[in-house]
Amino acid sequence: GAVVSQHPSRVICKSGTSVKIECRSLDFQATTMFWYRQFPKQSLMLMATSNEGSKATYEQGVEKDKFLINHASLTLSTLTVTSAHPEDSSFYICSARGTGGADYGYTFGSGTRLTVV
Amino acid sequence: DAKTTQPPSMDCAEGRAANLPCNHSTISGNEYVYWYRQIHSQGPQYIIHGLKNNETNEMASLIITEDRKSSTLILPHATLRDTAVYYCIVGPSSNTGKLIFGQGTTLQVKP
């Protein structure tokens, strides 16, 4: 089945630094990937839609200059949290849907727990 | 905004069928019904999806009403490992459409 690999699974960084999270589709090509954020005891909130070879589309209220998204290939999208602050601490999850093959719906990564200290 | 309504929580006895309802009265003709579940601190796991017909796979069955305004996810023999938050999502058929999550149903399977 379709697999999305997300790395790292956990990261702790100091306030003011930047953190990069990678999302890879392992056995299928994904022209579109999605980035979500989840705070404790809340549902997933869509942050942005990542399009291969073009700029990401951000949801209302999400700062595009703070959450940099790059989708350089059909199998890799990255989310960089710039100048991270404690309020950015959250669970970040990526998702992808293939362009063809078996239709498993949207496949999600295992998530990245970001803690900013 | 999410287009679905689900009960916030449900209990189910281990070994019994778990029936999770979902209302999606504003669903459009080309929108699918997706079900995902999320176990604590993990990414959502795909369960099943459908358009009009009932669907069954190795994990669950999806029953969609004829008017498509509601659906039910059925876990035929719930186990303790099925304890999770279950999300019913109305989503597009295109590969670029996005999924918007609602609050989901927390299913607690009890021994």
Side-chain angles (χ1 to χ4, degrees):
Chain A
V3 177
V4 170
S5 174
Q6 190 171 339
H7 179 80
S9 58
R10 290 179 177 270
V11 58
I12 300 173
C13 71
K14 292 183 177 180
S15 185
T17 63
S18 296
V19 174
K20 179 183 286 187
I21 302 170
E22 291 189 351
C23 180
R24 295 180 183 272
S25 56
L26 296 187
D27 50 0
F28 65 101
Q29 294 182 330
T31 54
T32 304
M33 292 186 176
F34 306 89
W35 286 95
Y36 294 83
R37 179 169 54 181
Q38 186 176 32
F39 292 108
K41 298 187 178 181
Q42 294 187 22
S43 185
L44 283 76
M45 292 175 49
L46 180 66
M47 298 175 66
T49 301
S50 167
N51 301 298
E52 186 267 335
S54 63
K55 293 181 179 180
T57 303
Y58 291 81
E59 295 297 304
Q60 189 174 5
V62 178
E63 300 176 60
K64 62 180 181 180
D65 294 331
K66 181 170 184 61
F67 299 100
L68 301 179
I69 292 173
N70 183 277
H71 193 156
S73 75
L74 287 173
T75 59
L76 174 64
S77 176
T78 61
L79 168 67
T80 301
V81 183
T82 64
S83 187
H85 292 285
E87 56 265 31
D88 298 323
S89 298
S90 188
F91 192 51
Y92 292 86
I93 308 167
C94 69
S95 171
R97 193 175 190 191
T99 57
D103 184 7
Y104 286 90
Y106 297 71
T107 304
F108 287 79
S110 55
T112 297
R113 177 77 58 191
L114 171 63
T115 303
V116 184
V117 298
Chain B
D1 291 338
K3 298 180 179 180
T4 62
T5 303
Q6 299 176 251
S9 64
M10 292 182 64
D11 289 342
C12 177
E14 187 179 17
R16 304 297 295 268
N19 298 285
L20 290 86
C22 179
N23 288 322
H24 32 78
S25 59
T26 61
I27 190 170
S28 299
N30 62 347
E31 290 181 315
Y32 283 69
V33 178
Y34 294 87
W35 282 86
Y36 285 81
R37 71 181 183 184
Q38 186 180 27
I39 297 171
H40 183 62
S41 295
Q42 297 182 23
Q45 177 190 21
Y46 169 81
I47 301 174
I48 199 167
H49 74 290
L51 182 62
K52 295 181 180 179
N53 301 322
N54 297 337
E55 302 287 344
T56 296
N57 62 21
E58 64 277 6
M59 290 184 67
S61 294
L62 173 60
I63 308 299
I64 303 175
T65 58
E66 192 169 343
D67 62 8
R68 303 212 319 129
K69 292 185 177 182
S70 65
S71 61
T72 301
L73 178 73
I74 302 173
L75 307 179
H77 305 286
T79 69
L80 298 179
R81 286 179 295 182
D82 291 322
T83 293
V85 180
Y86 286 77
Y87 295 100
C88 168
I89 307 166
V90 167
S93 58
S94 71
N95 287 337
T96 57
K98 55 190 179 183
L99 293 186
I100 304 299
F101 283 73
Q103 294 306 306
T105 296
T106 298
L107 174 68
Q108 182 73 48
V109 180
K110 298 184 175 181

